Amino acid sequence: MKTTAATIIILALLCAPAAAREGFVTPEQSHPLAILPTPPAPHSATSDAELAELHRIESVRTAEQVASARADDENQTIFLFKTVFGEKFTKENLPAVAALGARLKADESANTGAAKEAFHRIRPYNVDKTLHPVCKTKTKDDSYPSGHTTVGYLMGLALIDIAPERRDEILARAEAYGHNRLVCGVHFPSDVAAARLVAYAVHAIMELDPSYQKEVAAARVELRGALGLVAAH
């Protein structure tokens, strides 16, 4: 059986040691503390307006929206975009895509972790005890920026590099994924906006990294072949 170059790349990625498969971009490269504004202080006019918006969302959220938000709360993998790519978009079918997603999750942890620790923002439900969050809660003050939202956009932007013809659908899913943090009641709107900014900054740096380019190339061959998409140029 003839082994293709793409197969060799995929196998190399899957067999790489864990240390070599950490994220592509460090916070020393992306400078999240320099690019993010300081979040609104608790009980400031802006913070109170954000809490009012969370109460509004809570008052109108449906059982279906709650179920969707809870499902997204449990899924920080690249396969959250299954709604865009269909039933074949699974880790079993797409090991190179899964490996790329794991590295992107590491990028989120590295690049939001420093900001979360520095800004030390209290979660909205810990500021306002009359909120009723429907997803997992925590006592740690690490609301800003939203990690889930950063993951959603990082993975979405990588998938646009792979399947640019699905750009609008991918971005719509990333936006919905971030909005679900508000439906959950676990983040302020400005946490979600800050996360989107971090994701775009990290992705811009990432695209210049040869290792990212290599992994995206392998994932592109795998995904487009599995889904029967026309070869990308």
Side-chain angles (χ1 to χ4, degrees):
M1 180 176 177
K2 188 175 181 180
T3 303
T4 66
T7 302
I8 293 171
I9 292 172
I10 291 169
L11 291 173
L13 293 175
L14 294 175
C15 296
R21 294 174 61 194
E22 293 176 356
F24 300 100
V25 178
T26 68
E28 289 75 23
Q29 293 172 290
S30 66
H31 303 289
L33 300 184
I35 65 174
L36 290 178
T38 301
H43 309 299
S44 66
T46 303
S47 177
D48 287 348
E50 291 195 279
L51 288 171
E53 174 61 9
L54 291 177
H55 277 288
R56 185 197 67 78
I57 292 171
E58 180 179 309
S59 71
V60 299
R61 68 190 175 197
T62 65
E64 183 180 10
Q65 289 172 327
V66 168
S68 173
R70 285 174 169 164
D72 280 353
D73 185 51
E74 296 291 340
N75 184 10
Q76 293 191 68
T77 75
I78 201 166
F79 299 102
L80 68 93
F81 289 92
K82 189 174 184 178
T83 55
V84 173
F85 292 101
E87 291 302 314
K88 292 182 179 179
F89 191 70
T90 66
K91 63 181 180 180
E92 292 78 16
N93 290 334
L94 303 166
V97 172
L100 175 63
R103 290 199 68 179
L104 295 170
K105 178 63 179 75
D107 278 301
E108 176 273 313
S109 297
N111 288 278
T112 64
K116 284 176 175 287
E117 290 294 332
F119 291 117
H120 205 60
R121 190 181 196 185
I122 304 172
R123 294 272 175 165
Y125 50 80
N126 289 326
V127 175
D128 182 349
K129 298 295 185 179
T130 67
L131 283 171
H132 301 92
V134 292
C135 301
K136 292 193 298 290
T137 61
K138 54 173 71 174
T139 57
K140 186 176 182 180
D141 298 336
D142 64 348
S143 196
Y144 183 90
S146 163
H148 276 72
T149 305
T150 305
V151 161
Y153 275 98
L154 274 178
M155 293 180 177
L157 292 169
L159 287 170
I160 291 171
D161 288 336
I162 293 169
E165 67 269 44
R166 300 286 182 87
R167 176 183 180 277
D168 290 347
E169 298 165 82
I170 292 168
L171 287 178
R173 176 65 176 117
E175 182 179 4
Y177 188 75
H179 181 72
N180 270 344
R181 305 310 286 157
L182 309 183
V183 176
C184 279
V186 297
H187 276 291
F188 292 95
S190 55
D191 299 338
V192 171
R196 186 168 55 246
L197 180 57
V198 170
Y200 273 88
V202 170
H203 179 257
I205 298 166
M206 189 180 293
E207 284 201 304
L208 304 176
D209 186 328
S211 64
Y212 173 76
Q213 295 167 7
K214 180 179 178 181
E215 293 207 25
V216 163
R220 182 183 296 116
V221 170
E222 181 184 75
L223 175 59
R224 299 186 74 86
L227 301 186
L229 299 175
V230 176
H233 297 288

